[in-house]
Amino acid sequence: LYRRHHHHRKKHHQHTTACEPDRIHLTQASDVQAGDPLLGVLDMILSFTLPRNCDPDVTMVRVVYETGDNFPQISQDYEITSFDYDASLAVPGMNDYQSDWIYHFRLSDVKAGLQEYNYQIMVQNGIEEGENEEEDIVAATVERRQLRGKNLGEAGKDPAIPTLSSPKYSFRTPPLSSEPTTLALVGDLGQTENSTKTMHQIYQRTLSGEVPVSVVVIAGDLSYADGDPLRWESWLELMEPLLRSTPLFSIPGNHEIECDNTTSEVFGIYEAYFRNPNRLVDAERRPIPPAYRKILWSCLTSSEFLGHYNYGNAFWSVQHGMVQIIGLNSYTSTLPGSPQYTWLDETLQKVDRSVTPWVLVTFHCPLHTTFQGHNGELNPLVMLHTFEPLFVQYQVNMVISGHDHAYMRTHPMKGKKVDPQGVVYWTLGAGGNREQHNKGYLHPQAEEWVAKRTLSDYGFGQLHVANATHAHFEWIRDGTTKEGIHDSLWLDNS
């Protein structure tokens, strides 16, 4: 099965490179199945790009994946998309950018439980779909052959068209709901030297530790491309060593708005490159109305922006080990009766705390801030009145945001007051982006509801869920400075 989404508007960019997969990244596509006959099984999605000259009509692409102790599986369930983009707001003269082909492959019937899978991406260019025997590709993989230019045909048959295979990569599957779970949590990452240090720290923790990091959650503002599509390409290439082996969950920040200068469409690049978990339907997106665009200081990255972007990658929910992770969109309606509010209420009602005893919610704009820069913005003020009552009602354990380029942890909060029955909020927007830290604090002394805060370092949060009742959070600094704070605490869910 495959779906092809492609929107032509302007001339093609001409690429002459070979059909080599690039910008590879993974996500968890579904929850782990809880009942027979698929107990402990889930789907993953593997995304990557192929150059523009690799026309999907004459290019056969397959992903072969296996655990090493079973026969390789072949994925043929994929969709192809691409996008045209007028980037002239950010890059004068670039009004005809056309992306490479973006593939999203579903890897079905993957076994959960931190199982290690190997995979390769196979590309045959210059043929019609279905022209070659899949058995030949499997046999070649079993024999661990590099397929560049080799004959995959059998005696008496014409040689197969040369197949280009990616190197063999690997990933670990999500833990089962009964197993300890470790998450990496970060916001506002970008692509600076500090971003690279943060990425490296996370990568090291996917390889080591009693319970390695099994997913990266980014609370918006991923690439800081800011309307330059070439910077999306470079960010995905920078992040590939991490994201081709560890699933990514993300939500949109204001730096993902990126309006097209001709069509005024928003969030289009973010929507094309990623596939977040348990995708309900394709995204609902509307262009910015002309009158509204005139009053925005920027339709690329405006931090006070309200658009129409629902479903798709905008908001989602997934079970990952012992944690129900819910991603929300700060830049679409959050009012009662809106699609997102209705979906969130229904989603929180359905969470089975006997399966996922911990609930983590992430969105970009923090509901509480101690920093100068984004205080008083409308979006979080509305969310505080509409969403926080749901968080309290359904006993959400923690909320993760970015936006402020700093680190902060609150005491349990309800409204603007400390409340033992409230929710703990983290701001983790110090991933390393090029805008650096916020300018300062709102008050010299921290507010009574602030447990920890710092503007002096970059880093990320690591959450280790040990069991149904106890989890450990640690703020992991990248060591840029000797200043800053160390923050570490145990959370009680009993």
Side-chain angles (χ1 to χ4, degrees):
L1 303 175
Y2 88 87
R3 294 185 297 159
R4 178 172 173 177
H5 304 287
H6 177 220
H7 306 286
H8 285 290
R9 186 179 69 242
K10 298 184 174 70
K11 67 180 183 180
H12 285 41
H13 282 289
Q14 298 299 317
H15 299 273
T16 57
T17 53
C19 296
E20 296 184 15
D22 199 3
R23 308 173 194 118
I24 304 169
H25 52 286
L26 281 159
T27 196
Q28 179 182 336
S30 68
D31 295 332
V32 178
Q33 297 295 318
D36 293 332
L38 298 175
L39 179 66
V41 169
L42 76 153
D43 293 351
M44 304 285 286
I45 288 181
L46 180 70
S47 301
F48 55 88
T49 64
L50 290 180
R52 196 73 215 177
N53 61 295
C54 304
D55 186 344
D57 289 337
V58 292
T59 303
M60 186 175 79
V61 186
R62 296 289 183 266
V63 176
V64 181
Y65 58 106
E66 43 93 12
T67 60
D69 59 359
N70 64 353
F71 196 73
Q73 298 168 264
I74 298 178
S75 174
Q76 302 178 75
D77 183 358
Y78 63 96
E79 63 173 306
I80 308 170
T81 189
S82 67
F83 61 90
D84 296 344
Y85 183 67
D86 182 349
S88 56
L89 275 179
V91 186
M94 187 187 285
N95 61 356
D96 59 354
Y97 174 87
Q98 191 171 57
S99 75
D100 287 340
W101 299 108
I102 304 167
Y103 283 74
H104 301 291
F105 265 84
R106 181 172 288 267
L107 311 185
S108 300
D109 300 335
V110 169
K111 296 178 182 178
L114 298 176
Q115 301 284 323
E116 184 168 341
Y117 274 75
N118 298 316
Y119 70 91
Q120 282 184 296
I121 303 166
M122 308 287 189
V123 182
Q124 290 179 299
N125 185 239
I127 61 174
E128 293 295 333
E129 188 79 23
E131 191 172 304
N132 285 83
E133 295 291 333
E134 294 172 5
E135 288 79 4
D136 293 336
I137 298 178
V138 175
T141 306
V142 172
E143 294 172 16
R144 304 297 191 260
R145 289 194 294 177
Q146 292 296 317
L147 302 185
R148 298 175 187 273
K150 295 201 174 187
N151 180 2
L152 299 184
E154 298 175 359
K157 292 185 178 181
D158 292 332
I161 290 176
T163 301
L164 187 150
S165 66
S166 73
K168 182 179 291 183
Y169 300 121
S170 65
F171 65 87
R172 267 196 293 263
T173 59
L176 295 164
S177 61
S178 59
E179 294 180 317
T181 306
T182 305
L183 318 177
L185 310 167
V186 68
D188 302 70
L189 197 54
Q191 43 192 311
T192 67
E193 181 180 354
N194 292 317
S195 313
T196 305
K197 289 180 179 178
T198 300
M199 183 197 78
H200 178 71
Q201 291 259 35
I202 297 173
Y203 180 68
Q204 290 299 313
R205 282 162 175 78
T206 68
L207 303 175
S208 61
E210 185 176 343
V211 182
V213 166
S214 55
V215 68
V216 180
V217 181
I218 303 182
D221 287 2
L222 284 70
S223 70
Y224 279 76
D226 297 351
D228 181 351
L230 299 181
R231 289 183 59 81
W232 269 111
E233 294 181 8
S234 61
W235 185 83
L236 286 163
E237 290 161 6
L238 174 70
M239 293 294 291
E240 183 183 312
L242 172 62
L243 300 184
R244 72 183 174 214
S245 60
T246 306
L248 167 69
F249 303 161
S250 65
I251 48 90
N254 57 299
H255 286 263
E256 277 73 62
I257 297 170
E258 298 182 303
C259 72
D260 182 294
N261 200 24
T262 296
T263 66
S264 294
E265 291 185 0
V266 290
F267 297 106
I269 301 178
Y270 173 75
E271 183 63 28
Y273 274 126
F274 302 101
R275 286 296 177 266
N276 274 320
N278 285 325
R279 189 177 172 92
L280 296 175
V281 294
D282 288 341
E284 294 178 358
R285 295 184 297 120
R286 295 176 186 166
I288 304 173
Y292 183 41
R293 181 170 172 175
K294 287 181 180 179
I295 65 173
L296 291 171
W297 70 267
S298 168
C299 70
L300 293 175
T301 64
S302 179
S303 57
E304 281 199 279
F305 173 81
L306 184 62
H308 185 95
Y309 177 30
N310 297 310
Y311 307 110
N313 293 328
F315 47 83
W316 46 267
S317 177
V318 68
Q319 298 173 4
H320 187 86
M322 293 192 203
V323 188
Q324 186 80 32
I325 306 175
I326 298 173
L328 301 175
N329 180 8
S330 295
Y331 298 100
T332 195
S333 178
T334 58
L335 294 173
S338 67
Q340 184 172 209
Y341 181 96
T342 302
W343 172 87
L344 176 62
D345 191 12
E346 293 173 351
T347 297
L348 287 170
Q349 287 184 48
K350 294 176 183 176
V351 174
D352 185 347
R353 302 301 278 260
S354 69
V355 177
T356 50
W358 296 83
V359 177
L360 181 152
V361 174
T362 181
F363 47 86
H364 189 57
C365 298
L367 301 192
H368 306 278
T369 184
T370 187
F371 306 108
Q372 296 178 18
H374 296 301
N375 57 298
E377 290 182 349
L378 181 61
N379 304 55
L381 291 176
V382 174
M383 292 181 79
L384 180 64
H385 290 285
T386 60
F387 280 5
E388 189 180 69
L390 297 178
F391 301 157
V392 174
Q393 177 184 351
Y394 295 108
Q395 299 179 313
V396 168
N397 297 101
M398 57 193 305
V399 170
I400 303 297
S401 296
H403 206 37
D404 284 321
H405 305 158
Y407 173 77
M408 183 192 73
R409 171 172 61 87
T410 74
H411 296 293
M413 298 280 291
K414 185 177 179 181
K416 285 290 186 180
K417 296 180 179 181
V418 176
D419 188 321
Q421 303 303 314
V423 181
V424 180
Y425 294 86
W426 270 268
T427 296
L428 297 171
N433 71 85
R434 62 183 176 180
E435 293 182 352
Q436 302 184 345
H437 292 105
N438 284 45
K439 294 180 180 180
Y441 300 108
L442 292 174
H443 306 289
Q445 298 298 318
E447 295 84 350
E448 63 176 5
W449 45 265
V450 175
K452 293 282 186 176
R453 67 179 190 177
T454 184
L455 285 165
S456 300
D457 211 346
Y458 298 97
F460 71 100
Q462 179 174 284
L463 178 69
H464 171 66
V465 178
N467 52 47
T469 58
H470 288 84
H472 182 260
F473 178 89
E474 183 179 6
W475 164 241
I476 299 174
R477 305 161 62 217
D478 73 3
T480 303
T481 73
K482 294 182 179 180
E483 300 176 3
I485 62 167
H486 296 277
D487 193 17
S488 175
L489 77 155
W490 281 95
L491 301 168
D492 189 340
N493 191 36
S494 57

